[in-house]
Amino acid sequence: EAQVTQNPRYLITVTGKKLTVTCSQNMNHEYMSWYRQDPGLGLRQIYYSMNVEVTDKGDVPEGYKVSRKEKRNFPLILESPSPNQTSLYFCASSPRGNSYEQYFGPGTRLTVT
Amino acid sequence: SQQGEEDPQALSIQEGENATMNCSYKTSINNLQWYRQNSGRGLVHLILIRSNEREKHSGRLRVTLDTSKKSSSLLITASRAADTASYFCATDNSNYQLIWGAGTKLIIKP
């Protein structure tokens, strides 16, 4: 089944404790991206990747890191999480970029205390 | 930056009625997409309309695009309880990003 998977789905952590949210797609898509969703703000893009080893900042990259060493994986790293990073996070992929249908993962609900 | 803005923010209608949502944007686009999100879950793609298209249909969905007014509308005909969700429009820009609106929350009353 074609899908985007994220892990974990729920995470409660404390300020400053490094964490990684994994994202994997099995559709051989070139384009992957990370979003955060906050009430009333819609989706805001954190980082995106056009292909392996190619990443770029979105609208809200501060406090986040990403890497794209393999085509299928695009982990999101929070080196030192803060409470303002409490949010719902989505990973998405598409064949070649934003002019194509985006396939979303199920979301990761992160709470930083 | 928020390019797409949906209107209304919330809409409540009776099952069987039609639902119309609007999206306005600020800069020129290559395409506009509509997505549905059931509460707290991942977004699901509904339809993509390119800037040189004026109307597109998919089942009970009808999307129009007016590039002169920088606006789009999503019409859901003969609504069902399962259509209860939030609906988002997304537009692309020249920097390979999708810009999303804050969404319209649609409630279908039985």
Side-chain angles (χ1 to χ4, degrees), chain B residues 24-70:
Chain B
S24 60
Y25 57 92
K26 296 172 185 169
T27 63
S28 60
I29 61 172
N30 293 320
N31 66 65
L32 185 145
Q33 302 182 44
W34 284 93
Y35 288 79
R36 183 187 74 232
Q37 183 183 32
N38 292 95
S39 182
R41 303 182 69 174
L43 282 78
V44 175
H45 181 264
L46 296 176
I47 203 161
L48 181 153
I49 185 164
R50 303 204 182 276
S51 60
N52 61 354
E53 298 176 307
R54 291 296 167 259
E55 189 171 311
K56 209 161 181 182
H57 298 255
S58 177
R60 293 183 297 113
L61 306 180
R62 173 180 165 242
V63 168
T64 61
L65 179 64
D66 187 334
T67 53
S68 67
K69 294 181 180 177
K70 292 187 171 57

Side-chain angles (χ1 to χ4, degrees), chain A residues 97-113:
Chain A
N98 62 352
S99 293
Y100 296 82
E101 172 183 350
Q102 305 292 306
Y103 292 77
F104 280 82
T108 295
R109 190 167 290 281
L110 172 66
T111 302
V112 183
T113 61

Side-chain angles (χ1 to χ4, degrees), chain A residues 9 31 35 37 40-43 45 48 50 57-59 88 90 98-102 104-107 109, chain B residues 1-2 30-31 33 35 37 40-45 48 50 88 92-93 95-102:
Chain A
R9 294 288 314 282
Y31 183 90
Y35 292 92
Q37 185 178 33
L41 293 178
L43 276 79
Q45 193 176 51
Y48 63 96
M50 294 298 292
K57 297 177 181 178
D59 292 322
L88 180 57
F90 290 102
N98 62 352
S99 293
Y100 296 82
E101 172 183 350
Q102 305 292 306
F104 280 82
R109 190 167 290 281
Chain B
S1 59
Q2 191 162 312
N30 293 320
N31 66 65
Q33 302 182 44
Y35 288 79
Q37 183 183 32
R41 303 182 69 174
L43 282 78
V44 175
H45 181 264
L48 181 153
R50 303 204 182 276
F88 295 88
D92 66 335
N93 64 13
N95 293 329
Y96 304 101
Q97 291 179 258
L98 273 177
I99 308 299
W100 298 79

Side-chain angles (χ1 to χ4, degrees), chain A:
Chain A
E1 179 190 354
Q3 61 182 347
V4 178
T5 56
Q6 293 178 229
N7 282 293
R9 294 288 314 282
Y10 302 90
L11 180 58
I12 300 174
T13 190
V14 296
T15 298
K17 186 176 181 182
K18 180 179 178 179
L19 66 92
T20 299
V21 183
T22 64
C23 173
S24 183
Q25 50 93 5
N26 62 1
M27 295 168 280
N28 202 36
H29 285 169
E30 292 183 357
Y31 183 90
M32 297 185 75
S33 59
W34 275 102
Y35 292 92
R36 61 177 289 173
Q37 185 178 33
D38 302 289
L41 293 178
L43 276 79
R44 292 181 293 168
Q45 193 176 51
I46 303 170
Y47 270 95
Y48 63 96
S49 169
M50 294 298 292
N51 214 324
V52 175
E53 302 292 0
V54 180
T55 63
D56 213 340
K57 297 177 181 178
D59 292 322
V60 288
E62 293 77 21
Y64 305 94
K65 284 175 57 177
V66 293
S67 68
R68 186 93 181 272
K69 294 185 170 61
E70 306 165 280
K71 200 171 190 178
R72 63 183 293 130
N73 297 323
F74 191 44
L76 179 70
I77 303 155
L78 284 72
E79 295 269 1
S80 183
S82 62
N84 65 13
Q85 292 178 299
T86 292
S87 188
L88 180 57
Y89 291 87
F90 290 102
C91 179
S93 73
S94 80
R96 268 194 288 282
N98 62 352
S99 293
Y100 296 82
E101 172 183 350
Q102 305 292 306
Y103 292 77
F104 280 82
T108 295
R109 190 167 290 281
L110 172 66
T111 302
V112 183
T113 61

Side-chain angles (χ1 to χ4, degrees), chain B residues 1-22:
Chain B
S1 59
Q2 191 162 312
Q3 160 133 284
E5 291 185 11
E6 289 91 346
D7 167 53
Q9 290 186 328
L11 179 61
S12 181
I13 60 173
Q14 293 294 138
E15 192 168 16
E17 293 180 339
N18 296 341
T20 300
M21 289 157 270
N22 302 297

